[in-house]
Amino acid sequence: MATEGGGKEMNEIKTQFTTREGLYKLLPHSEYSRPNRVPFNSQGSNPVRVSFVNLNDQSGNGDRLCFNVGRELYFYIYKGVRKAADLSKPIDKRIYKGTQPTCHDFSHLTATAESVSLLVGFSAGQVQLIDPIKKETSKLFNEENSCQHLWKVDWNEERENEGSKTSEEALVPVQRLIDKSRVTCVKWVPGSESLFLVAHSSGNMYLYNVEHACGTTAPHYQLLKQGESFAVHTCKSKSTRNPLLKWTVGEGALNEFAFSPDGKFLACVSQDGFLRVFNFDSVELHGTMKSYFGGLLCVCWSPDGKYIVTGGEDDLVTVWSFGDCRVIARGHGHKSWVSVVAFDPYTTSVEESDPMEFSGSDEDFQDLLHFGRDRANSTQSRLSKRNSTESRPVSVTYRFGSVGQDTQLCLWDLTEDILFPHQPLSRARTHTNVMNATSPPAGSTGNSVTTPGNSAPPPLPRSNSLPHSAVSSTGSKGSIADGAIASGVSKFATLSLHDRKDRHHEKDHKRNHSMGHISSKSSDKLNLVTKTKTDPAKTLGTPLCPRMEDVPLLEPLICKKIAHERLTVLIFLEDCIVTACQEGFICTWGRPGKVGLMSAPNQASSPGGTVV
């Protein structure tokens, strides 16, 4: 059920919850935070973010954790469900002056027990490359003379209330030559040890190479490719310099991007409410989707690359089919903006007459978690078989989760009655709360992006249980490598269809940061990108943005309040789920059967800052 009880019970902080696979339980001794465990005053600060890396050391405890809180950045050994966290001994801690860290990403290809490369983006637009194990700062990007060390470093021994070394770093006040806006997302390009991609609140993305020289003057660009609401430029110079490419995408901030599991495609979500999916190498637009209203804030890929889930200011999670380029479901459970969406590769299941367990290594897990590498796995062929065989002998269920500003964690199942709604009713295993739509689907009144060579098949007869805004194509599109997926029992989500009439959906959303209040901050963007302002009233009811009654509406398996402040992190690990809130507390939830692995705590229980 989505909720339990009412009133006071619904407002209580939950420390455990139960799903079909068993009991998930909060592990108080595995909570990470600032060493003093004092809740952080989050007003005016950037969201807390968490990054993981496995160093593959011989000790068997190679997991490392990085998180930012305010102007501070911490790097710890992550002990997960095995041992209690020791906050008195961070491997590295940095305090920044003049700017705040906003996001970060580890290089999993080059990580060793002696060295690890960590990219950190900042509120003032810079990107720093550091090694928290060696405690070195190698390069700074988006600064004048950025190849030089422009950081003032003071090492203070035995800081008050903290017994570890701390580096205080201050940006030298020089001009930012590439982009002055906040860094919203930074990631290493999958499969590359030197390329990384950076998104800014200006709506621009930049491709960098850590090996190339940094210019001392502002870059000059020349147009490489232009399309609907996007343009890509190369840096025009005598010698190769950063940035290698500049992407201008949509209107307003580019809030997040994610690479497909095989690294060939890039999904971007923007403040203008659009999901745009690009072929990263050819710089071609594969498809788009529009939010119900407001900006889109987060995006993730399914482990096999066949589906994309987004969340945003419409309080919904939206499931988009990569092959069909259409919305196949929406999920309603949050009461405020959705901050993070993520697939759970360990609960996502493939069921066949001959089920096979996934027994990947830690390295395989890290690859899957960060959507990076091609791996040969039998589950991949079985997922391909599932999507190409008429008899469909393989059953697939995808599990994903979401957290939001309403402090709630929601878990969702994406099941066969959603993925393949045209199958006969006799084959569907559950139809709980399924109703016919009360109003007819609206006709298409706008244009949607169509993928070359992929014409829409003729419509099939409408099912009595599930409406169709478009018909699923059985053809396989692209060459997305399927990720490794764990076997499990088949599960079906509870479905319902909106039966109420549309009420003023054509009006602009009145929240802050809604589409009507977003304007471009880049002066040259108006001249470089073909702009066609999108009227929400014209996109609503089209394949770009189906009406609520035209697609299935998912209900969450669970929806629990787990924090006092807005949630900003959701990461699925093999033994646990990791969440974090804006107060700076990183919480570990042991999976069913994994809680018993916890050894005796070596320190006092944390004062319940976020979880009581």
Side-chain angles (χ1 to χ4, degrees):
M1 292 294 97
T3 57
E4 296 179 1
K8 182 178 178 181
E9 182 181 355
M10 293 183 64
N11 292 324
E12 291 179 353
I13 303 295
K14 306 299 181 183
T15 58
Q16 62 184 35
F17 57 86
T18 302
T19 64
R20 292 185 179 93
E21 59 269 17
L23 179 68
Y24 290 78
K25 192 172 183 179
L26 178 69
L27 305 179
H29 301 293
S30 295
E31 182 181 86
Y32 287 78
S33 67
R34 298 189 298 169
N36 58 16
R37 292 186 178 272
V38 175
F40 177 70
N41 183 1
S42 60
Q43 291 186 355
S45 297
N46 292 286
V48 173
R49 302 294 186 195
V50 174
S51 297
F52 283 94
V53 67
N54 187 278
L55 305 182
N56 300 315
D57 62 2
Q58 302 300 321
S59 66
N61 189 22
D63 290 330
R64 299 294 183 267
L65 166 76
C66 174
F67 61 92
N68 61 287
V69 181
R71 61 190 186 98
E72 302 171 7
L73 188 72
Y74 293 92
F75 184 68
Y76 279 100
I77 295 176
Y78 181 69
K79 300 179 181 179
V81 301
R82 297 182 299 274
K83 295 181 180 179
D86 185 0
L87 301 184
S88 65
K89 298 179 180 178
I91 298 176
D92 193 17
K93 173 187 174 183
R94 295 168 185 245
I95 301 176
Y96 295 92
K97 297 179 180 179
T99 189
Q100 293 184 1
T102 59
C103 50
H104 31 82
D105 190 41
F106 286 105
S107 173
H108 298 268
L109 291 180
T110 61
T112 66
E114 293 77 30
S115 176
V116 63
S117 296
L118 176 67
L119 290 168
V120 184
F122 291 90
S123 58
Q126 305 91 339
V127 177
Q128 186 186 26
L129 177 62
I130 65 176
D131 188 331
I133 296 179
K134 295 181 178 179
K135 297 182 173 59
E136 294 178 353
T137 301
S138 56
K139 287 185 179 180
L140 178 67
F141 302 90
N142 192 22
E143 282 283 13
E144 186 179 359
N145 300 323
S146 57
C147 279
Q148 302 177 13
H149 292 232
L150 297 179
W151 299 79
K152 176 184 178 184
V153 181
D154 297 323
W155 292 94
N156 297 326
E157 301 281 355
E158 301 295 328
R159 288 179 56 86
E160 184 179 358
N161 299 325
E162 302 168 20
S164 61
K165 284 187 176 182
T166 301
S167 63
E168 291 188 351
E169 304 188 289
L171 277 174
V172 176
V174 296
Q175 181 182 7
R176 290 176 296 283
L177 300 173
I178 298 173
D179 200 306
K180 297 179 174 63
S181 65
R182 176 174 56 92
V183 176
T184 56
C185 188
V186 58
K187 291 183 185 296
W188 293 93
V189 174
S192 175
E193 297 182 1
S194 57
L195 297 177
F196 64 93
L197 193 63
V198 182
H200 289 258
S201 60
S202 63
N204 296 325
M205 286 190 301
Y206 301 91
L207 180 66
Y208 290 86
N209 188 324
V210 296
E211 305 297 336
H212 287 175
C214 306
T216 58
T217 59
H220 296 279
Y221 299 102
Q222 60 183 11
L223 184 65
L224 175 65
K225 186 164 293 188
Q226 187 171 2
E228 183 179 355
S229 297
F230 82 95
V232 182
H233 294 77
T234 58
C235 191
K236 186 177 181 181
S237 61
K238 293 181 179 180
S239 58
T240 305
R241 57 159 289 181
N242 284 317
L244 304 180
L245 292 177
K246 174 186 177 181
W247 296 57
T248 301
V249 180
E251 298 182 48
L254 203 163
N255 290 321
E256 191 177 33
F257 63 82
F259 285 99
S260 61
D262 66 353
K264 295 180 180 179
F265 290 87
L266 181 70
C268 307
V269 289
S270 301
Q271 194 61 40
D272 61 7
F274 278 88
L275 161 73
R276 296 176 176 88
V277 182
F278 297 93
N279 183 308
F280 186 65
D281 292 331
S282 64
V283 201
E284 295 286 350
L285 184 63
H286 171 80
T288 64
M289 182 271 289
K290 174 69 175 60
S291 69
Y292 202 64
F293 56 74
L296 288 177
L297 305 177
C298 50
V299 62
C300 67
W301 291 78
S302 64
D304 57 5
K306 297 183 185 299
Y307 302 98
I308 296 174
V309 171
T310 65
E313 295 175 358
D314 52 12
D315 304 349
L316 301 171
V317 294
T318 302
V319 185
W320 190 80
S321 170
F322 174 83
D324 299 332
C325 292
R326 69 179 182 94
V327 175
I328 62 171
R330 291 190 179 102
H332 179 61
H334 287 283
K335 301 174 184 178
S336 187
W337 296 354
V338 180
S339 306
V340 183
V341 288
F343 274 87
D344 182 355
Y346 302 99
T347 306
T348 295
S349 64
V350 179
E351 189 175 271
E352 199 177 8
S353 58
D354 182 22
M356 181 176 294
E357 295 287 336
F358 168 61
S359 56
S361 63
D362 286 344
E363 182 177 1
D364 290 333
F365 154 67
Q366 291 293 343
D367 291 347
L368 181 61
L369 179 64
H370 291 270
F371 306 110
R373 326 283 142 65
D374 295 331
R375 295 184 307 281
N377 189 282
S378 61
T379 311
Q380 299 174 0
S381 61
R382 298 158 86 215
L383 281 172
S384 299
K385 180 181 178 182
R386 176 63 181 87
N387 287 321
S388 61
T389 304
E390 289 297 329
S391 59
R392 306 193 189 283
V394 183
S395 174
V396 183
T397 300
Y398 298 86
R399 168 68 58 81
F400 66 93
S402 58
V403 295
Q405 296 192 12
D406 57 359
T407 71
Q408 293 194 112
L409 164 68
C410 293
L411 296 181
W412 316 78
D413 271 356
L414 184 60
T415 52
E416 296 223 331
D417 36 7
I418 296 296
L419 302 177
F420 306 101
H422 56 274
Q423 61 183 338
L425 285 176
S426 60
R427 303 196 54 183
R429 303 187 185 181
T430 181
H431 295 287
T432 307
N433 292 337
V434 176
M435 301 174 292
N436 287 328
T438 58
S439 57
S444 177
T445 58
N447 296 326
S448 61
V449 175
T450 57
T451 306
N454 184 30
S455 60
L460 294 178
R462 183 178 291 271
S463 165
N464 289 331
S465 60
L466 294 174
H468 303 277
S469 60
V471 177
S472 176
S473 171
T474 59
S476 177
K477 183 176 181 71
S479 58
I480 295 293
D482 297 331
I485 297 182
S487 175
V489 296
S490 178
K491 295 171 286 293
F492 280 79
T494 303
L495 307 178
S496 67
L497 294 176
H498 244 280
D499 60 343
R500 56 189 173 87
K501 304 283 186 180
D502 286 295
R503 301 185 185 93
H504 309 294
H505 290 317
E506 289 78 9
K507 295 182 180 180
D508 288 340
H509 185 43
K510 299 302 181 181
R511 287 183 176 178
N512 292 332
H513 309 297
S514 62
M515 289 193 313
H517 299 282
I518 296 301
S519 60
S520 174
K521 296 182 180 179
S522 176
S523 59
D524 61 343
K525 194 187 295 186
L526 294 174
N527 299 324
L528 300 179
V529 180
T530 302
K531 299 246 181 187
T532 54
K533 287 224 169 186
T534 305
D535 185 352
K538 292 183 179 180
T539 60
L540 185 63
T542 70
L544 204 61
C545 180
R547 295 182 183 274
M548 292 295 287
E549 64 266 25
D550 290 341
V551 294
L553 187 66
L554 300 175
E555 294 180 2
L557 297 176
I558 65 103
C559 192
K560 303 293 184 182
K561 179 181 175 66
I562 63 171
H564 289 300
E565 290 291 334
R566 65 184 187 271
L567 293 163
T568 59
V569 171
L570 175 62
I571 300 174
F572 291 98
L573 303 182
E574 186 173 9
D575 294 333
C576 59
I577 299 175
V578 176
T579 62
C581 74
Q582 194 55 24
E583 285 184 315
F585 293 96
I586 291 84
C587 297
T588 298
W589 301 77
R591 289 184 184 270
K594 302 295 184 180
V595 178
L597 299 177
M598 184 73 177
S599 62
N602 56 13
Q603 62 184 37
S605 177
S606 64
T610 51
V611 181
V612 179

